């Protein structure tokens, strides 16, 4: 797949996820095999108003490359100005959010609301393509609802407007996350455009990614599957290459990665926010482990990263023999 200077065969892409695809999680996914990353979305209105918290969201590290920064908004002039600010942060590409389904966004004409106003979506894409030198990509859904599936029109328009790749989460806006992602659209979309197509929706295992690639899409984007299991990138790459499953990570490997992630969280978000904001990730690292109810409860109360690390290491030595036997 080619997006500007980025050339990767069958890349696995970490999805943009608000409050999740921040620097620490992005670094972990990169170290665990993600080929390309996209930041959580940043508000165009906040960027052009210099809101510190939002400016922080577009800071990227060299280790994360290739990476795209995602922005959202409904006002073409604001999106254009925000894109210039994002370009100065030096990502490989800028991604336009045209898929966020949450009412507080769509009621302002942002995110998936653009699926109900294709001329405005086109104006925004063209304005950004004209304003910046780096590639522009678009992430969207199939349509507003099942009666208004517009993705084939959107795909052609996005390409003609100058975007260099299209990501499709194969659900409608009204679906939110309900039902199943309908991957049958990917084949039809792929046939109608010449820019790379990134498939998205419901990848939880290596064989899911393989089946999604079989639709013809150029890249596979993984969101919730990476929260539950950040090792999914390594596991999927191995499976795509060899047709064999990697052994499941051991509890030691899971806890080591958890501790590494926790320390990155503290490094980039500070001692308090870094620990509190990390709580959503315990479920992923403890997934599929038995006898962890009490540990999980304790971790959720703890506020000091050093003590959390010690508790995890103590648990490992207490339970080493039990897990070795599994
Ligand atoms: C917690 C969370 C936050 C999300 N934030 C964003 C976002 O900032 N931008 C975006 O385009 N999509 C966002 N999404 C949607 C994901 O990028 C992805 O399209 C969706 O989760 C479907 O992929 P999956 O089934 O692999 O999770 C978010 C999803 C989740 C679960």
């Amino acid at each position: 797949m080619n997006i500007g200077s980025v050339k990767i065969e069958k890349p696995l892409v970490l999805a943009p996820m608000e409050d999740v695809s921040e620097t620490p999680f992005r670094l972990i996914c990169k170290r665990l095999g993600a080929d390309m990353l996209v930041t959580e979305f940043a508000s165009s209105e906040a960027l052009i108003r210099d809101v510190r918290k939002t400016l922080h969201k577009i800071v990227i590290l060299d280790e994360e490359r290739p990476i795209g920064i995602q922005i959202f908004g409904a006002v073409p002039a604001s999106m254009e100005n925000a894109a210039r600010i994002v370009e100065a942060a030096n990502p490989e590409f800028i991604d336009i959010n045209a898929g966020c389904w949450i009412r507080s966004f769509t009621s302002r004409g942002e995110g998936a609301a653009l699926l109900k106003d294709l001329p405005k979506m086109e104006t925004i894409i063209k304005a950004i393509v004209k304003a910046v030198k780096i590639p522009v990509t678009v992430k969207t859904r199939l349509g507003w609802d099942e009666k208004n599936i517009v993705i084939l029109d959107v795909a052609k328009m996005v390409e003609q407007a100058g975007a260099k790749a299209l990501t499709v989460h194969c659900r409608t806006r009204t679906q939110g996350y309900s039902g199943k992602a309908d991957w049958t659209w990917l084949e039809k979309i792929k046939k109608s455009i010449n820019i790379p197509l990134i498939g998205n929706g419901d990848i939880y295992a290596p064989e899911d990614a393989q089946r999604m690639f079989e639709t013809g899409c150029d890249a596979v984007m993984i969101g919730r599957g990476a929260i539950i299991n950040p090792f999914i990138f390594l596991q999927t790459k191995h499976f795509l290459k060899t047709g064999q499953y990697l052994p499941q990570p051991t509890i030691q490997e899971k806890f080591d990665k958890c501790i590494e992630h926790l320390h990155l969280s503290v490094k980039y978000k500070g001692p308090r926010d870094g620990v509190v904001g990390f709580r959503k990730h315990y479920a992923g690292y403890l997934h599929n482990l038995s006898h962890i109810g009490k540990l999980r409860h304790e971790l959720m109360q703890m506020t000091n990263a050093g003590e959390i690390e010690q508790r995890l290491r103590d648990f490992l030595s207490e339970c080493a023999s039990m897990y070795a036997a599994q």
Side-chain angles (χ1 to χ4, degrees), residues 142 168-171 175 179-190 197-217 220-222 224:
L142 299 175
V168 181
H169 174 192
C170 301
R171 285 186 172 83
Q175 270 185 293
K180 270 187 76 174
D182 183 355
W183 296 354
T184 59
W185 284 99
L186 292 173
E187 200 173 332
K188 297 175 216 162
I189 303 165
K190 180 65 195 162
L197 174 63
I198 304 172
N200 174 234
D202 299 352
I203 302 289
Y204 290 103
E207 62 274 20
D208 296 336
Q210 184 173 57
R211 281 192 299 110
M212 189 179 265
F213 274 121
E214 282 164 10
T215 67
C217 63
V220 164
M221 177 181 275
I222 308 176
R224 292 164 299 168

Side-chain angles (χ1 to χ4, degrees), residues 36 61 89 107 146 175 191 212 237 273 290 292 302 325:
M36 204 165 83
L61 306 172
S107 62
E146 77 270 33
Q175 270 185 293
K191 283 189 182 137
M212 189 179 265
K237 282 167 84 108
D273 289 356
S290 47
I292 43 86
M302 294 171 82

Side-chain angles (χ1 to χ4, degrees), residues 14-72:
L14 172 67
M17 289 185 284
E18 188 187 18
D19 286 337
V20 177
S21 300
E22 309 159 303
T23 311
F25 188 62
R26 295 197 306 260
L27 286 172
I28 287 294
C29 291
K30 182 78 187 178
R31 292 172 190 178
L32 287 174
D35 298 296
M36 204 165 83
L37 311 171
V38 184
T39 66
E40 60 179 322
F41 56 31
S43 156
S44 53
E45 300 297 338
L47 284 173
I48 62 177
R49 282 169 182 75
D50 260 353
V51 176
R52 235 185 56 199
K53 201 170 153 220
T54 306
L55 288 171
H56 189 69
K57 289 185 181 182
I58 67 168
V59 175
I60 51 173
L61 306 172
D62 273 340
E63 187 185 342
E64 302 185 75
R65 297 186 184 285
I67 183 166
I69 294 178
Q70 191 188 66
I71 56 172
F72 70 89

Side-chain angles (χ1 to χ4, degrees), residues 19-317:
D19 286 337
V20 177
S21 300
E22 309 159 303
T23 311
F25 188 62
R26 295 197 306 260
L27 286 172
I28 287 294
C29 291
K30 182 78 187 178
R31 292 172 190 178
L32 287 174
D35 298 296
M36 204 165 83
L37 311 171
V38 184
T39 66
E40 60 179 322
F41 56 31
S43 156
S44 53
E45 300 297 338
L47 284 173
I48 62 177
R49 282 169 182 75
D50 260 353
V51 176
R52 235 185 56 199
K53 201 170 153 220
T54 306
L55 288 171
H56 189 69
K57 289 185 181 182
I58 67 168
V59 175
I60 51 173
L61 306 172
D62 273 340
E63 187 185 342
E64 302 185 75
R65 297 186 184 285
I67 183 166
I69 294 178
Q70 191 188 66
I71 56 172
F72 70 89
V75 179
S78 305
M79 287 291 271
E80 183 183 329
N81 289 330
R84 288 201 187 92
I85 296 169
V86 164
E87 184 176 38
N90 203 20
E92 273 66 33
F93 60 97
I94 297 179
D95 190 52
I96 300 172
N97 181 303
C100 180
W101 67 294
I102 299 167
R103 194 183 297 276
S104 56
F105 292 77
T106 56
S107 62
R108 292 192 301 248
E110 298 165 345
L114 293 172
L115 286 164
K116 291 205 289 191
D117 190 348
L118 299 193
K120 195 203 267 179
M121 197 198 293
E122 184 174 11
T123 304
I124 289 175
I125 300 168
K126 283 183 170 165
I128 296 180
V129 167
K130 203 167 153 209
V132 299
K133 292 193 181 65
I134 55 176
V136 175
T137 61
V138 175
K139 178 169 180 282
T140 190
R141 289 180 176 238
L142 299 175
W144 183 258
D145 56 30
E146 77 270 33
K147 292 204 179 75
N148 294 285
I149 305 261
V150 288
I151 192 61
L152 295 180
D153 293 335
V154 169
K156 282 184 213 126
M157 177 273 282
V158 161
E159 178 173 21
Q160 277 159 18
K164 294 288 185 270
L166 172 68
T167 303
V168 181
H169 174 192
C170 301
R171 285 186 172 83
T172 62
R173 183 269 161 187
T174 46
Q175 270 185 293
Y177 288 102
S178 65
K180 270 187 76 174
D182 183 355
W183 296 354
T184 59
W185 284 99
L186 292 173
E187 200 173 332
K188 297 175 216 162
I189 303 165
K190 180 65 195 162
K191 283 189 182 137
S192 70
I193 52 173
N194 294 306
I195 53 174
L197 174 63
I198 304 172
N200 174 234
D202 299 352
I203 302 289
Y204 290 103
E207 62 274 20
D208 296 336
Q210 184 173 57
R211 281 192 299 110
M212 189 179 265
F213 274 121
E214 282 164 10
T215 67
C217 63
D218 301 276
V220 164
M221 177 181 275
I222 308 176
R224 292 164 299 168
I227 306 179
I228 298 170
N229 170 25
F231 294 86
I232 193 169
F233 297 102
L234 279 183
Q235 293 167 337
T236 303
K237 282 167 84 108
H238 184 82
F239 184 80
L240 292 174
K241 209 166 147 194
T242 65
Q244 308 284 318
Y245 290 98
L246 271 181
Q248 286 299 317
T250 62
I251 182 172
Q252 174 85 52
E253 286 166 332
K254 285 185 180 183
F255 279 27
D256 283 348
K257 205 40 87 178
C258 180
I259 290 165
E260 181 186 340
H261 189 171
L262 173 66
H263 287 306
L264 285 170
S265 191
V266 168
K267 178 172 175 188
Y268 290 103
K269 300 178 75 180
R272 197 191 141 68
D273 289 356
V275 169
V276 174
F278 187 74
R279 288 179 183 157
K280 56 181 163 280
H281 293 288
Y282 289 125
Y285 291 107
L286 301 177
H287 187 64
N288 273 344
L289 294 174
S290 47
H291 310 290
I292 43 86
K294 182 166 169 280
L295 174 68
R296 190 200 315 255
H297 181 75
E298 286 173 20
L299 294 173
M300 295 301 277
Q301 317 296 316
M302 294 171 82
T303 53
N304 179 288
E307 288 170 16
I308 294 171
E309 173 173 356
Q310 195 53 52
R311 182 68 190 95
L312 288 168
R313 297 212 183 282
D314 289 347
F315 183 85
L316 268 179
S317 38

